[in-house]
Amino acid sequence: MFEIAIEALVTVLDPSRIGFMLLGISLGILVGLLPGLSGTVGMSLLLPFIFGMDPFTGMALLIGMVAVVHTADTFPSVLLGIPGSSGSQATIMDGHPLAKKGQATRALGAAFFCSMVGGIIGGIVLFLTIPIVRPIVLSFSSPELFMLSLLGLSMVGLLSGKSPMKGIISGLLGLALGSIGAAPAVAEYRYTSDFIYLFNGIPFAVVALGLFAFPVMIEMLSDNRSVSKGNKIVSGGLLTGIKDAIRNKWLVLKSAILGSVVGFIPGLGGSVVDWLSYGFAQKTVKNNHFGSGDIRGVIAPESANNAKEGGALIPTLMFGIPGSGTTAILLGGLTLMGLQAGPNMLTSGLPVTLSIIWTLVIANIFGVLLCLLLTRPISRISTIPANKLVPFLFIILLIGSFQSTKSWGDILFFVLIGLLGLVMHSLDWPRPPFLIGFVLSLSAERYLWISMDRYEFAWLTHPIVIVIGALIVVFLFGGYFVKRISQAYENNKGVDV
């Protein structure tokens, strides 16, 4: 296998294929920079051009884009407080407050370095799991997938700050909004009021942009300021951010491994992995100030983001089961180039599989280097006055929303959800739980219905279900008790004896 890996590396390093990889990287950075677009959109645009290409060249182009979209989407998340894609939501929590403090380059430096490390770890995980992945993937049936959805929903409690009840209500609102449209278990449409646009539910991009981007723009206009309140970018912040990442190397490693593991579980993937990593770090990192500009709140989700792409390729290549939206498009690309996902990718198609791994690793390194070179000029966006920046952003966001279904309903619901996000922001209600509830609503309902239909209540005794259930209990109550103990310790320490 190692001999084939070396041959695949030589093939990938062919100048013509490196050229296509760099083209994919450039397009991926562009897609990541524009809020509302995603790797799925970018991959869809590339599909017509790979028809007739040899598999190695076509994969160099596609994987080049996949590898860097979740690196470049950090720019709008940190600088503007707008999620560049579904995988960059949690980065906003601490990345944008750092930008407001004039530390945009520090946050970006840490994010890009962690993205590179995470991408490399994701590629290594993909390589190491090839011989053993089949029994692992096949061990997850609907009950386990339902429990994993609940595990994602348990992040609601971790991300609610000092108001857990507000967080729970916010999560329930997200679940309710996510249930609009076609029911996953029965042939009926819910809460559509015969509005055809709602038959397939509200697109994720519309919800994410409205919930986070709209309030930021209104706040900037009302304060009549730039993103960076000090109108400055800290000099040397890029190197400082990289040093921060190295200083927290164990957090980077743990988050990257978590991202790889969650990535290879079909149905979860990019929309929740950053929240899982963020919530895990929030409860395990000592003396943190997550939510107010803690650099570790950037390091954790960014380490997991790119690592999950390696994990998502495992079920995609081995079983034809897409682990994320971008890998679903990748399956179509494989078909266009005459390949079939499945066991063949471990036999006759093994050279192509290994070339994908090499491309994933190399593209991450090239993409991060390019983003680091662009950091300082692009960071100056945070110093542009609101009255000049917001009109341009508003047009970009409208276009990003409209591309979801090409319907006027996209724009209408972008504004309506934006107003809801503005109210929640003004009343200090947490918005991340809302988004988590929305993302996991249909998958949780689907897996629960299948589990009850197939096993009735017997699925509750499955060993993996019990283990995941124990993790949920730890997430829900463990953090509460740790917080109470630490508060009691601090109070006792402050008493004079």
Side-chain angles (χ1 to χ4, degrees):
M1 182 170 168
F2 285 99
E3 292 180 0
I4 301 176
I6 298 300
E7 292 176 5
L9 175 60
V10 173
T11 303
V12 168
L13 293 178
D14 181 270
S16 63
R17 296 188 176 95
I18 287 290
F20 277 100
M21 185 195 302
L22 292 175
L23 176 61
I25 290 171
S26 301
L27 293 174
I29 290 176
L30 180 61
V31 169
L33 278 172
L34 298 175
L37 298 183
S38 64
T40 305
V41 175
M43 294 274 282
S44 301
L45 294 175
L46 288 181
L47 280 183
F49 298 98
I50 67 169
F51 184 78
M53 284 186 178
D54 71 89
F56 296 99
T57 305
M59 285 296 106
L61 181 62
L62 291 178
I63 300 298
M65 169 174 280
V66 170
V68 300
V69 166
H70 294 298
T71 301
D73 63 10
T74 306
F75 279 118
S77 299
V78 171
L79 298 178
L80 306 172
I82 298 171
S85 71
S86 62
S88 62
Q89 304 153 28
T91 306
I92 295 174
M93 301 296 290
D94 288 277
H96 192 55
L98 283 168
K100 289 181 177 180
K101 297 175 182 178
Q103 300 182 40
T105 52
R106 179 192 177 196
L108 291 171
F112 294 146
F113 182 82
C114 292
S115 293
M116 180 180 69
V117 174
I120 293 172
I121 291 176
I124 293 173
V125 168
L126 175 57
F127 179 78
L128 294 177
T129 53
I130 285 177
I132 59 174
V133 70
R134 184 178 180 84
I136 296 176
V137 171
L138 294 181
S139 67
F140 285 91
S141 57
S142 55
E144 288 75 23
L145 292 172
F146 169 68
M147 294 301 292
L148 287 170
S149 298
L150 289 187
L151 181 63
L153 288 171
S154 70
M155 294 297 105
V156 166
L158 299 179
L159 298 169
S160 301
K162 299 178 180 179
S163 306
M165 186 54 64
K166 288 182 179 179
I168 292 172
I169 295 174
S170 178
L172 291 175
L173 288 175
L175 283 170
L177 192 69
S179 66
I180 293 175
V186 292
E188 65 179 27
Y189 294 97
R190 302 176 298 196
Y191 318 123
T192 61
S193 300
D194 294 327
F195 187 14
I196 295 178
Y197 171 79
L198 293 176
F199 279 15
N200 290 323
I202 303 173
F204 174 80
V206 173
V207 176
L209 291 176
L211 205 61
F212 286 96
F214 196 91
V216 170
M217 291 191 299
I218 298 300
E219 182 186 17
M220 287 172 59
L221 282 176
S222 62
D223 294 344
N224 193 26
R225 60 168 178 83
S226 60
V227 172
S228 177
K229 292 182 179 179
N231 281 346
K232 65 177 182 178
I233 301 172
V234 175
S235 60
L238 199 63
L239 187 58
T240 302
I242 295 175
K243 289 180 179 178
D244 287 328
I246 296 174
R247 194 178 301 115
N248 292 278
K249 54 184 177 296
W250 295 117
L251 177 61
V252 174
L253 180 62
K254 288 185 291 185
S255 300
I257 293 174
L258 176 63
S260 299
V261 172
V262 175
F264 92 85
I265 300 171
L268 290 182
S271 298
V272 297
V273 67
D274 57 328
W275 289 122
L276 286 170
S277 177
Y278 186 87
F280 176 76
Q282 190 176 30
K283 290 305 176 185
T284 57
V285 172
K286 297 179 180 179
N287 303 319
N288 71 75
H289 304 284
F290 280 26
S292 59
D294 192 319
I295 193 66
R296 292 168 294 183
V298 174
I299 289 172
E302 289 300 319
S303 300
N305 261 347
N306 279 21
K308 73 106 174 32
E309 294 300 336
L313 287 171
I314 295 173
T316 304
L317 297 176
M318 310 310 161
F319 310 105
I321 303 172
S324 65
T326 52
T327 52
I329 303 297
L330 184 65
L331 280 178
L334 289 171
T335 303
L336 287 176
M337 291 180 289
L339 296 173
Q340 185 67 42
N344 288 336
M345 297 302 291
L346 295 177
T347 54
S348 59
L350 184 59
V352 177
T353 301
L354 294 175
S355 75
I356 289 174
I357 297 173
W358 282 117
T359 303
L360 186 67
V361 172
I362 296 171
N364 266 288
I365 296 172
F366 283 176
V368 166
L369 292 176
L370 186 55
C371 284
L372 288 173
L373 291 174
L374 295 173
T375 294
R376 190 161 295 279
I378 293 179
S379 293
R380 299 192 183 280
I381 293 174
S382 66
T383 65
I384 300 175
N387 58 356
K388 296 180 180 179
L389 181 62
V390 169
F392 171 76
L393 282 178
F394 192 74
I395 293 174
I396 293 294
L397 293 173
L398 286 178
I399 295 173
S401 298
F402 186 72
Q403 62 84 32
S404 296
T405 65
K406 308 295 191 300
S407 169
W408 290 107
D410 292 330
I411 297 177
L412 172 63
F413 278 91
F414 166 71
V415 175
L416 291 177
I417 295 173
L419 292 174
L420 173 63
L422 181 62
V423 172
M424 294 178 70
H425 178 67
S426 301
L427 298 177
D428 196 28
W429 279 56
R431 289 168 288 167
F434 186 101
L435 206 57
I436 290 177
F438 178 83
V439 169
L440 294 177
S441 59
L442 289 184
S443 60
E445 181 182 358
R446 180 187 300 113
Y447 294 134
L448 176 60
W449 187 88
I450 295 173
S451 300
M452 294 300 298
D453 182 65
R454 184 177 299 174
Y455 305 103
E456 294 185 347
F457 288 99
W459 62 271
L460 292 171
T461 61
H462 290 193
I464 299 178
V465 168
I466 295 173
V467 171
I468 298 175
L471 287 175
I472 293 172
V473 172
V474 170
F475 274 122
L476 288 176
F477 300 104
Y480 172 77
F481 288 115
V482 170
K483 186 176 180 181
R484 290 292 299 271
I485 292 172
S486 62
Q487 286 178 343
Y489 174 76
E490 290 174 2
N491 293 335
N492 291 334
K493 193 170 68 171
V495 175
D496 294 327
V497 180

